[in-house]
Amino acid sequence: MRGLLYLCLLCLLLPALAQEGRVLKVVSAERLELREEGEEEVYVLVGNPVRLEREGERIEARRVVYNRTRRKLYLMEGVRYQDREGRRIEAEELQLDLEDESFDALEVRIEAKGLLLTGPLCQRAAGAILLQKGYATPCAGCGQEVPDYAFRAEEVVLYPGDRVVARKVTLLFQEKPLLELPVLLLFLSERRPRLEVGQDEGRVYFKAALPYAGELGLGFTLLHYYQGRGYGFGFDHFGVGEAKERYFFLHTPPDTFQYRGEYGLKRPEFALGVLLERDDTREKLSRFRLEALLPGTPKPTDWRYALRLEGFLDHDPATPPPRTLKRLPELEAQGPPLQEGPFRLQAGLLLGYYEAETNPLNRSARALGPYAGAGRALFSHSESLTLTPWQGGRFSAENAFRGYYYTTANPDGELERQVDWTSRASFRQALGGFSLEAGYLRSVQEGESPFRFDALPQRRTHQATLGLGFQERPLALALKGGRDLEKGAYLPLEAEARLQDRGYSLALYHKRGLLGEGPLETRLEGSLTPYPFSLRASLRFDHVRALFDPLLLQGALALAGGSLNLTHRHGLNGEGALTTAFSLNLREGQEAYALQAQRDWTKNTLALQGQALWGPESLALQLALDPARANYTLTFRSGLAPGPLWEAALLGKIQEGFRDTNLRLSASTFTPEVGFRLQANLHLPEVEDGAVYLKDLTFSGGAELWDPMPPEGEAPGLPGLAFSGGLSYARAPSRPEGYTLFLRNFGPTFTFLGRENTKLHLSALLTQDLPGTPLKPKFIVTLDRCCWAFRFTVDAAKGSVSLAFLYGGEAAGVLLSEEGIRLGGTTP
């Protein structure tokens, strides 16, 4: 009976709750009431609880009232609402407007990316959630009896994405007032240090990123101090308006600059994108790019305009600038297609000044040097016409022109230009099975460009053709000839006869010169396809060289769950057999088998490849045989991602005994506890070296060997152990040690558990070549309180010491990666 009620609810409510293609689905309810309140239609659902879904949103409440006239949902008693961004909202009452996605709620609890917010009154408008007299803490899920830190504010705004802005803020430490601020900014997805102090090469440094928020946006003020070098300053600003805005600037003493400005606005009527960036740690260049489009989203009937500016400013005259293309600027106008009956026209104009690499094939451009600037105008237009004057007749014509005009001059003093111009026309008349077709083609590419990037190859084609055809199934005949108007000579005559029907095909092609050359080329192709067989053959004779191309014979057999194919190439000029290839493929369920073989008769070689698949396991063999040696590779694979994947490959060659014999082993897995790649190459006995030894080994990734145990009573807990990083080993008999070893952020991490989810991580990492050099490890000590952490780093290789503060949920959780242990979003 309840299932019938649910079906009735769905039938009644789905049309009522549809909103611009988005449907609110009733998952469960116990009772439905239909009411008329004045002129308003109201639905009342009661359940324990009522569950609703709407395209990524989930709603629960014991009582739901839907006003169809106003398109509003009233949720009461135990309200739980999860929006499309994954934010979970609990309230006593919530009113949701389906028109503009806004809502009002009372006694609210919000969970958003590790941050807990509570308050008596909450509203959502334009995607942003406003909480009045709110309380917030990222420590709610850390198991702390009293949160380490939190804040109260008169107003908290949670923006779509990851930004939280609070005004009239009181910071709380252990629930006690600590500091009052006019405004506070949080990025919920950020896990990077905000305060850092350290010592580098014997000198102290201090770095701070202080958040701010205002009407124009929000971001960080960057303050740096370096002992003996001076002060650094900058900002990292994010816009909050309609446009995408990000502005970053950082000056590091004595004269290192880093900045990046990015602005992007796209509307249907207009679009603008601007980028300016510089990073002196890589190159002392300011690169800029601008593109303005009108309209921003063009329609086929719109005129389109574009302005582009691209280039760089060189701040280091001591180094040569890059030879990249500059647009200083470029203007484009593109007209819409003009359609008038069968006639179509489109044109465009591109004007600009460019600096780029010069064309080495142009003598006047070489005189300008390897890099030069010049103005250019590119004019293009295309026309097409299609007519059907009478039954069976069709006329078509196309013309496409691109003209490049430059401000540079050739040695004769004429301005340089390039032209790419193609015109073609054809007329075809069909009468029954007969057809007559006349064609005309003129294509020219000529002129010279001063630039390398737009230089066109020289080409000139001018010809007229005439073709006759007859087609009456299964027979088809075609005859085509013409005249080269550029050279004033007749084109070769081409004739083709084809007999084709279901199950067979036979084609004969012949090409003959009309200027005394005689026959030029003859081709014969045939096929026979009686199911399940398929047979094909092709042969070509080159009359000019008096030689046959290899005869190609192909045969195939369709099998149940597979196929068998055989191909043979045979030389008819006295060469005899050339190559023979064989392939067999079979599949049944999770099992599959494949075999390929190729015999090269001229080189007297044989290549075999075989593979067998049994679900997650596979066995593959590769074998290459010639009169002198046999090369082999036998590979076994097992496993499915993301679990363990194992591979073992035995390879080498047989040449008066076993040689170059190796066993390659590899293993990989990527799970939350273990993620690594391991490859090893083991040398096996051979004729010249009968020893067994490890030739090389590489490892990257990490694993938790065992988890830490928390303390019980007064007894201390046991630490957990993890390791990660990269390791490369290679046998080197020429070195005194006999090997080389390179470590990349490789080492162990010990983790101690304290009360209230407190963790202490102790890491020792190495990045250096071994042996023969003194150890220079990097030690990292991290105290992690889940919602905040301190990190202390000593790097012997760089001679630096630093202390950093991190904040946010799970601020210093150990993450395994191929680059080594990564703590709280920091880069080791």
Side-chain angles (χ1 to χ4, degrees):
M1 187 67 183
R2 179 173 294 184
L4 181 60
L5 172 62
Y6 292 165
L7 181 60
C8 294
L9 287 172
L10 290 175
C11 293
L12 288 171
L13 291 182
L14 284 180
L17 303 185
Q19 171 66 18
E20 296 181 355
R22 299 176 57 199
V23 177
L24 187 64
K25 299 180 181 178
V26 180
V27 179
S28 65
E30 295 180 354
R31 191 172 73 248
L32 168 66
E33 298 179 15
L34 304 179
R35 299 179 181 176
E36 291 285 344
E37 297 182 358
E39 297 181 356
E40 298 179 351
E41 187 177 354
V42 177
Y43 298 82
V44 180
L45 292 90
V46 179
N48 192 23
V50 177
R51 291 186 175 91
L52 309 174
E53 291 183 357
R54 186 176 71 146
E55 293 187 8
E57 297 179 333
R58 296 181 180 180
I59 301 172
E60 291 185 10
R62 291 190 180 90
R63 183 179 178 86
V64 177
V65 178
Y66 172 61
N67 189 309
R68 182 177 182 181
T69 306
R70 300 182 182 181
R71 295 192 178 276
K72 289 185 178 182
L73 275 177
Y74 300 90
L75 311 175
M76 291 161 279
E77 300 180 22
V79 178
R80 294 185 179 182
Y81 172 48
Q82 179 175 311
D83 64 12
R84 287 187 294 277
E85 292 194 22
R87 298 176 293 198
R88 292 186 295 273
I89 302 167
E90 298 180 8
E92 286 298 319
E93 295 184 9
L94 190 146
Q95 177 180 315
L96 176 62
D97 192 325
L98 300 180
E99 288 283 356
D100 57 9
E101 305 293 324
S102 64
F103 69 68
D104 295 276
L106 300 177
E107 300 300 331
V108 178
R109 174 189 172 95
I110 303 174
E111 295 181 21
K113 297 185 179 180
L115 184 68
L116 172 66
L117 303 101
T118 61
L121 180 62
C122 177
Q123 296 175 319
R124 182 175 71 179
I129 296 177
L130 172 64
L131 194 67
Q132 301 288 347
K133 298 186 181 298
Y135 172 90
T137 178
C139 305
C142 295
Q144 300 172 358
E145 294 182 6
V146 178
D148 282 356
Y149 67 94
F151 68 84
R152 292 193 181 95
E154 287 294 319
E155 180 181 275
V156 182
V157 182
L158 178 60
Y159 287 98
D162 65 349
R163 295 189 296 272
V164 176
V165 177
R167 294 177 174 84
K168 295 184 180 181
V169 179
T170 300
L171 297 182
L172 305 176
F173 175 73
Q174 295 282 325
E175 293 297 297
K176 297 178 182 179
L178 178 66
L179 182 67
E180 292 187 359
L181 297 174
V183 67
L184 177 67
L185 167 68
L186 293 177
F187 284 92
L188 301 183
S189 62
E190 293 288 332
R191 296 287 182 265
R192 59 185 179 184
R194 285 294 175 265
L195 298 174
E196 184 172 347
V197 60
Q199 187 177 16
D200 190 356
E201 299 178 354
R203 297 183 177 184
V204 176
Y205 67 84
F206 173 78
K207 300 178 182 179
L210 307 177
Y212 68 84
E215 295 182 359
L216 299 179
L218 38 88
F220 295 94
T221 300
L222 309 177
L223 300 177
H224 294 188
Y225 169 74
Y226 303 87
Q227 183 183 10
R229 292 166 55 188
Y231 292 91
F233 59 90
F235 58 85
D236 192 359
H237 180 85
F238 300 82
V240 293
E242 176 186 3
K244 176 184 177 182
E245 295 180 86
R246 174 76 181 273
Y247 307 107
F248 171 81
F249 174 84
L250 179 62
H251 168 257
T252 305
D255 59 351
T256 300
F257 291 91
Q258 294 172 271
Y259 50 75
R260 178 183 176 90
E262 186 176 5
Y263 179 90
L265 176 64
K266 187 170 184 180
R267 294 175 177 173
E269 65 276 9
F270 179 75
L272 176 65
V274 183
L275 176 65
L276 173 65
E277 60 180 345
R278 173 181 175 180
D279 188 351
D280 286 354
T281 61
R282 295 181 298 178
E283 55 182 1
K284 289 194 173 184
L285 292 175
S286 289
R287 297 185 179 273
F288 56 86
R289 184 171 68 248
L290 178 146
E291 184 177 46
L293 303 176
L294 182 70
T297 307
K299 299 177 183 178
T301 57
D302 290 339
W303 276 87
R304 287 175 284 174
Y305 303 95
L307 168 64
R308 300 181 183 92
L309 184 68
E310 182 178 2
F312 59 86
L313 301 175
D314 188 4
H315 305 293
D316 189 0
T319 59
R323 296 179 180 179
T324 55
L325 174 65
K326 289 184 178 181
R327 295 178 171 88
L328 303 171
E330 179 183 78
L331 297 170
E332 180 181 8
Q334 182 77 35
L338 175 62
Q339 190 83 33
E340 188 66 33
F343 180 75
R344 188 175 188 271
L345 167 67
Q346 189 169 22
L349 178 64
L350 195 67
L351 298 174
Y353 183 85
Y354 304 87
E355 292 184 5
E357 283 189 273
T358 54
N359 182 7
L361 302 179
N362 185 343
R363 185 175 61 176
S364 60
R366 290 197 302 268
L368 299 176
Y371 190 85
R376 187 192 74 171
L378 171 57
F379 176 63
S380 63
H381 62 86
S382 62
E383 299 84 24
S384 64
L385 176 65
T386 302
L387 297 174
T388 305
W390 49 75
Q391 184 177 0
R394 185 177 185 273
F395 173 79
S396 64
E398 297 178 7
N399 181 68
F401 176 85
R402 288 189 303 163
Y404 302 76
Y405 305 94
Y406 304 93
T407 57
T408 56
N410 59 25
D412 297 331
E414 299 174 342
L415 295 179
E416 291 184 305
R417 66 176 182 88
Q418 280 189 132
V419 171
D420 180 4
W421 189 358
T422 299
S423 301
R424 66 180 77 240
S426 66
F427 175 78
R428 187 177 187 273
Q429 177 64 54
L431 184 60
F434 293 93
S435 64
L436 172 67
E437 184 170 357
Y440 173 83
L441 171 64
R442 182 180 183 274
S443 181
V444 176
Q445 281 188 178
E446 63 181 10
E448 287 186 311
S449 167
F451 298 121
R452 187 172 187 171
F453 76 90
D454 67 349
L456 300 176
Q458 303 292 308
R459 184 188 69 225
R460 182 176 291 271
T461 303
H462 193 194
Q463 62 185 30
T465 58
L466 182 64
L468 297 173
F470 172 78
Q471 185 169 358
E472 191 71 39
R473 192 175 183 89
L475 180 63
L477 302 173
L479 183 65
K480 183 179 179 181
R483 185 170 178 81
D484 190 326
L485 303 178
E486 183 72 21
K487 300 178 180 178
Y490 287 102
L491 298 172
L493 186 65
E494 301 175 56
E496 183 177 7
R498 181 177 295 274
L499 190 65
Q500 184 173 1
D501 206 346
R502 186 174 184 180
Y504 69 90
S505 174
L506 182 64
L508 177 63
Y509 171 84
H510 183 72
K511 185 176 182 180
R512 183 182 182 88
L514 300 180
L515 301 177
E517 306 97 336
L520 300 176
E521 176 188 354
T522 301
R523 287 200 313 265
L524 178 64
E525 298 178 359
S527 67
L528 188 63
T529 55
Y531 187 82
F533 295 96
S534 175
L535 305 174
R536 287 181 172 83
S538 64
L539 179 63
R540 177 181 178 273
F541 182 69
D542 190 330
H543 295 269
V544 178
R545 298 186 301 157
L547 293 175
F548 283 97
D549 285 355
L551 173 65
L552 180 62
L553 301 174
Q554 295 175 303
L557 174 62
L559 303 174
S563 63
L564 185 148
N565 295 274
L566 181 65
T567 302
H568 179 75
R569 294 173 66 249
H570 198 91
L572 301 180
N573 303 304
E575 307 96 336
L578 298 176
T579 60
T580 302
F582 168 85
S583 68
L584 173 65
N585 294 277
L586 295 173
R587 176 177 288 276
E588 182 176 354
Q590 292 187 343
E591 297 184 4
Y593 303 90
L595 177 63
Q596 296 179 350
Q598 181 166 326
R599 175 67 189 271
D600 191 321
W601 300 93
T602 59
K603 298 179 180 179
N604 195 18
T605 61
L606 176 64
L608 294 172
Q609 290 185 353
Q611 187 177 33
L613 300 175
W614 305 288
E617 283 80 33
S618 68
L619 181 67
L621 172 66
Q622 292 182 337
L623 185 63
L625 303 173
D626 61 42
R629 68 179 64 85
N631 296 315
Y632 62 90
T633 302
L634 181 64
T635 305
F636 175 77
R637 297 183 178 91
S638 178
L640 293 173
L645 302 176
W646 307 93
E647 180 177 312
L650 178 66
L651 65 157
K653 65 181 179 181
I654 302 175
Q655 185 178 10
E656 298 179 354
F658 289 94
R659 300 178 183 273
D660 299 334
T661 309
N662 294 276
L663 177 62
R664 293 180 181 173
L665 304 172
S666 68
S668 63
T669 184
F670 297 95
T671 63
E673 297 80 16
V674 180
F676 70 86
R677 286 191 180 95
L678 175 66
Q679 294 180 334
N681 191 9
L682 190 66
H683 179 272
L684 299 181
E686 56 176 284
V687 174
E688 298 178 353
D689 189 352
V692 177
Y693 52 82
L694 183 64
K695 292 181 65 175
D696 55 70
L697 180 145
T698 60
F699 171 87
S700 63
E704 293 183 12
L705 300 183
W706 61 80
D707 295 329
M709 297 182 62
E712 295 183 2
E714 297 182 358
L718 296 178
L721 176 61
F723 72 93
S724 68
L727 178 149
S728 297
Y729 164 88
R731 185 173 180 269
S734 60
R735 293 175 60 95
E737 302 84 1
Y739 67 92
T740 61
L741 183 65
F742 176 68
L743 304 177
R744 184 184 61 184
N745 286 322
F746 185 85
T749 292
F750 294 92
T751 300
F752 298 84
L753 281 183
R755 291 174 176 79
E756 293 188 337
N757 208 13
T758 302
K759 297 179 183 178
L760 179 65
H761 304 288
L762 305 178
S763 304
L765 308 176
L766 283 173
T767 299
Q768 62 184 107
D769 293 320
L770 292 175
T773 57
L775 295 181
K776 295 183 178 181
K778 176 167 61 176
F779 298 99
I780 303 175
V781 181
T782 304
L783 176 62
D784 180 9
R785 280 283 288 173
C786 176
C787 54
W788 63 270
F790 277 115
R791 189 197 68 208
F792 178 71
T793 304
V794 178
D795 193 333
K798 296 181 178 179
S800 65
V801 178
S802 64
L803 177 66
F805 171 74
L806 302 88
Y807 74 91
E810 298 181 0
V814 176
L815 305 178
L816 299 177
S817 73
E818 296 182 18
E819 302 298 327
I821 293 180
R822 184 169 297 174
L823 300 176
T826 66
T827 301

